Amino acid sequence: MACAVANIIASKFEKQETDTSCGVVSAGTAMLATGAAAINGLSSPQMRDVFRLPATTSVMPMQEVIEQGTTIDQVALILERNAAGRATKFFANDIGSVDRFRQIICKALDKGLVDSETTAAAVVINYDMEVLARVTGSEAYLVGLPDATHVNSGLGHMSVISAYHADTDRFLLLDTWPGTPSGWASAADLYTAVRSGYQRTYPFGECLVFV
């Protein structure tokens, strides 16, 4: 079941094409994986269709996404307007512990195949890329970033979690940034990266569950 869910989400996943579109791409992956895009009458929706939906552009026109990016609140609103309010946001400070963080995500993923054998639950996380690179010891999370000077102020980023491996306590992170690979990261490392973002002056550390 877990493999089936991961495969469904991965089949809908695309890398972002601009420096600022990680949020919309994450929202689009969630919508496509859960079948929410079909609510808008799209029989075989693709990522580019999600970008043009009125419920998406009403939150933020694509030109503004290209210029500014999106916040997790805007991503949540895009999901809610496109899918009748099925998005739930959890702030890192409210989650309180890595155990609760793991529980929230696993509960969403464990819903598995929601309506049919072609849809699945999805989780979007908002985290600090630099912190994830540091705690994992992998500079791969920083490959191809456009401006390394951003590291000091925090590299807020959104991506999608598609699976959990209990034996190693790791989540499969589908990283939307073009230069970084998708891969397995421990629950503790991901929670640290999410929580670190929330502790900054301009917080961005949240977990968004969409089922």
Side-chain angles (χ1 to χ4, degrees):
M1 181 71 76
C3 290
V5 172
N7 288 339
I8 290 169
I9 299 173
S11 72
K12 308 299 183 183
F13 175 73
E14 294 181 17
K15 293 282 192 177
Q16 63 194 81
E17 294 185 358
T18 69
D19 291 351
T20 55
S21 59
C22 62
V24 177
V25 168
S26 295
T29 301
M31 287 170 56
L32 294 170
T34 60
I39 294 174
N40 296 278
L42 302 175
S43 56
S44 300
Q46 305 295 318
M47 185 68 73
R48 61 180 178 274
D49 299 317
V50 172
F51 279 37
R52 293 193 290 260
L53 288 170
T56 301
T57 57
S58 69
V59 175
M60 197 170 206
M62 285 305 104
Q63 186 58 40
E64 291 185 26
V65 172
I66 292 171
E67 294 172 356
Q68 306 174 28
T70 50
T71 66
I72 194 74
D73 288 327
Q74 289 167 325
V75 169
L77 194 55
I78 288 170
L79 294 175
E80 288 163 5
R81 290 186 179 179
N82 276 298
R86 294 194 293 177
T88 303
K89 183 171 66 177
F90 297 88
F91 287 102
N93 268 13
D94 296 332
I95 293 172
S97 70
V98 65
D99 290 338
R100 176 63 176 150
F101 178 73
R102 183 190 303 105
Q103 180 185 47
I104 288 170
I105 298 175
C106 287
K107 183 176 180 180
L109 296 175
D110 284 347
K111 286 182 179 294
L113 307 182
V114 182
D115 299 317
S116 70
E117 293 185 355
T118 58
T119 62
V123 176
V124 176
I125 62 167
N126 193 195
Y127 60 100
D128 189 316
M129 296 175 76
E130 188 273 335
V131 170
L132 186 60
R134 175 169 53 78
V135 296
T136 60
S138 175
E139 292 299 314
Y141 290 107
L142 299 176
V143 171
L145 293 179
D147 185 356
T149 62
H150 290 169
V151 170
N152 291 329
S153 59
L155 287 164
H157 186 51
M158 291 182 232
S159 292
V160 179
I161 291 178
S162 63
Y164 175 68
H165 187 258
D167 290 347
T168 57
D169 193 26
R170 291 178 179 271
F171 288 107
L172 182 56
L173 181 67
L174 302 182
D175 196 324
T176 59
W177 186 256
T180 56
S182 296
W184 295 90
S186 74
D189 288 345
L190 278 178
Y191 179 66
T192 298
V194 170
R195 186 170 174 78
S196 295
Y198 192 79
Q199 292 172 328
R200 295 185 182 276
T201 304
Y202 300 99
F204 50 76
E206 295 97 353
C207 169
L208 186 65
V209 174
F210 182 59
V211 296

